[in-house]
Structures are given as structure tokens and as C-alpha cells.
Amino acid sequence: MSSEKMRNIGPKSAAWLRQVGLRTREELAEAGTVEAFMRVKRAGFKPTLSLLYAIEGALQDCHWQEVPEARRQELVSAAGVAIDKLPPPRYKPTPGPVRTTVLTEDTVAMRPDDDEPDWRR
């Protein structure tokens, strides 16, 4: 944020918000809680739900722990929907099905000099 200090917004959160173009309380209010959170997330930072609650508290001018539980659930739900719409990260392949291989005596090759399969060591 700019020189104005907002309730609940610490130095790290303020830096993240500045880097995504939200420098004033007005800009934050215009974007809204979930959009501000998502801008931080899309920028590659790793925000937690604490940031979501902190932004809401800042906009409501209350401590983030005073945000009503019903409102928290609305925010989490809306953020979850927005997160689900994000494309998968480019640097990670989409996980495929997991295959489990069970080693048994008949699937493990014996060493020529041993009477015990390799997997038993």
C-alpha cells in the first residue's frame, strides 16, 4: 500500500499488493477482497487465507479475526471457485494416474549367487 497504513496489512502483504497494482485503499476497495487476493495469487505469490481475511478486515476497518464466520465462508468459497479457474502451472506437469507396483518373489529377478530376491534386503 502507499504511505497510508491499513489495518491488518503488514509489510509483506503491502508489498504483494503494491506489486499487483493495488497501492491505495480505494484501489483495494475497487478490486474487492477476492479479486485482490487472486491478483496476488496469480502473480506467483503464495497467499494464505489469512491474507483473504486481512483484506476483508482492512476494507471493513475491523481486525481480521472479527470478520464474521459466515462472511469468511463466502470469501473462501468465492476464492476457491476463482482458484479452480486458474490454468495449471507451466512448470509442473498435470498429475496423472498413480500406478502401484507390488514386488513379489515371482516379479523380482533373483541374483545368480543368491537364493533371496533383491527386494527382501
Side-chain angles (χ1 to χ4, degrees):
M1 314 297 342
S2 65
S3 58
E4 77 176 288
K5 176 86 170 108
M6 287 185 58
R7 192 173 189 174
N8 304 313
I9 306 297
K12 185 176 185 177
S13 298
W16 285 353
L17 291 168
R18 274 194 310 273
Q19 290 182 45
V20 297
L22 300 171
R23 301 182 187 292
T24 65
R25 186 181 194 294
E26 291 74 28
E27 290 172 340
L28 190 61
E30 187 177 318
T33 302
V34 174
E35 176 57 25
F37 177 83
M38 290 306 298
R39 285 186 192 182
V40 170
K41 188 156 187 66
R42 284 191 301 261
F45 300 110
K46 306 277 190 237
T48 64
L49 293 179
S50 296
L51 179 63
L52 189 66
Y53 304 148
I55 294 169
E56 179 68 11
L59 293 175
Q60 301 303 322
D61 196 28
C62 68
H63 190 277
W64 67 269
Q65 291 177 327
E66 295 171 1
V67 174
E69 185 60 32
R71 178 62 179 149
R72 285 186 193 204
Q73 291 305 317
E74 288 174 17
L75 293 169
V76 169
S77 178
V81 168
I83 289 168
D84 288 344
K85 292 179 181 177
L86 290 176
R90 283 187 244 159
Y91 54 87
K92 282 187 182 176
T94 304
V98 175
R99 294 175 63 185
T100 304
T101 303
V102 178
L103 300 178
T104 61
E105 288 185 34
D106 60 324
T107 60
V108 177
M110 302 274 287
R111 286 191 198 170
D113 60 342
D114 201 357
D115 294 333
E116 199 173 295
D118 290 340
W119 62 271
R120 286 196 174 171
R121 293 194 181 136

